[in-house]
Amino acid sequence: TLFGLMLGFLLFGASEQLCKTLQGKDTTLQEAITAASLTKNYYVRLHTEEEFDKFYESCVIFSEGKSGQLVLPRYRRTPARFDDGVLPHRFQCPKDYYRVEYYEACVKIKAELESRFNQSKLSPVINVEKILMGAKNGYDFSNQLEELKTSFYKTDIDCGQA
């Protein structure tokens, strides 16, 4: 439980900062994608052996004064209806077990960020945003307008009126 709480604090601290950025009233889509990319890079950096070792050592040090040492969870047999005859993997030490948990959490969060912010449908929306921002600020937005003419929004927006 202690490891899970500390891991949640480590992982969700960065995602909390991303949420605050995404919920800002002046945040543009491009800024949101950049913030998500920076957060994803943080999780990539955490997904290393050195970072796990530092995190695990901090958990061990913290747990010594509180609840004792980190231990393997109790072994549970698979119910007979799900048992296929193969013995389940048993970890040799707590560090090996928690390493798998740590990496799995990092991979899942990174994959969720990828699936939400690396969509092909975002490119035309970014172009519309750049057109609007360019028109507002007096910049040239002709490149984005040409891309918009070939996107799936071409029937929704009359590019000839721009």
Side-chain angles (χ1 to χ4, degrees):
T1 304
L2 176 68
F3 184 85
L5 289 172
M6 291 182 74
L7 182 59
F9 184 76
L10 176 73
L11 297 178
F12 295 132
S15 62
E16 178 69 24
Q17 186 61 43
L18 175 62
C19 288
K20 287 179 182 178
T21 301
L22 294 177
Q23 293 172 7
K25 68 176 188 170
D26 296 328
T27 303
T28 64
L29 181 59
Q30 189 62 45
E31 290 169 344
I33 291 173
T34 301
S37 177
L38 290 172
T39 306
K40 187 183 75 157
N41 289 342
Y42 171 75
Y43 292 124
V44 168
R45 187 176 58 81
L46 284 181
H47 196 260
T48 62
E49 191 67 30
E50 299 84 36
E51 290 295 324
F52 169 74
D53 288 339
K54 285 194 291 189
F55 176 72
Y56 185 78
E57 288 304 315
S58 69
C59 289
V60 168
I61 290 169
F62 186 77
S63 70
E64 286 174 352
K66 309 294 183 216
S67 62
Q69 59 184 353
L70 295 175
V71 295
L72 285 169
R74 185 175 65 90
Y75 175 73
R76 295 185 178 112
R77 286 189 48 216
T78 306
R81 65 182 179 271
F82 299 125
D83 190 9
D84 59 356
V86 179
L87 292 175
H89 178 73
R90 286 188 140 182
F91 292 96
Q92 298 299 319
C93 65
K95 188 173 185 177
D96 292 341
Y97 172 78
Y98 291 118
R99 178 181 291 115
V100 171
E101 297 292 316
Y102 176 88
Y103 286 145
E104 186 177 336
C106 288
V107 166
K108 284 183 178 181
I109 290 178
K110 196 170 49 170
E112 289 299 321
L113 284 173
E114 286 280 333
S115 72
R116 285 175 174 77
F117 292 98
N118 283 347
Q119 298 178 18
S120 61
K121 294 178 183 177
L122 288 179
S123 180
V125 177
I126 291 172
N127 284 334
V128 170
E129 180 181 77
K130 286 180 182 178
I131 289 170
L132 295 173
M133 296 299 284
K136 175 186 171 229
N137 296 321
Y139 299 134
D140 180 35
F141 54 86
S142 57
N143 290 341
Q144 287 81 18
L145 194 59
E146 290 301 318
E147 288 180 35
L148 185 64
K149 288 179 184 178
T150 61
S151 74
F152 61 86
Y153 288 114
K154 62 186 171 193
T155 58
D156 297 331
I157 299 173
D158 184 7
C159 295
Q161 296 292 323

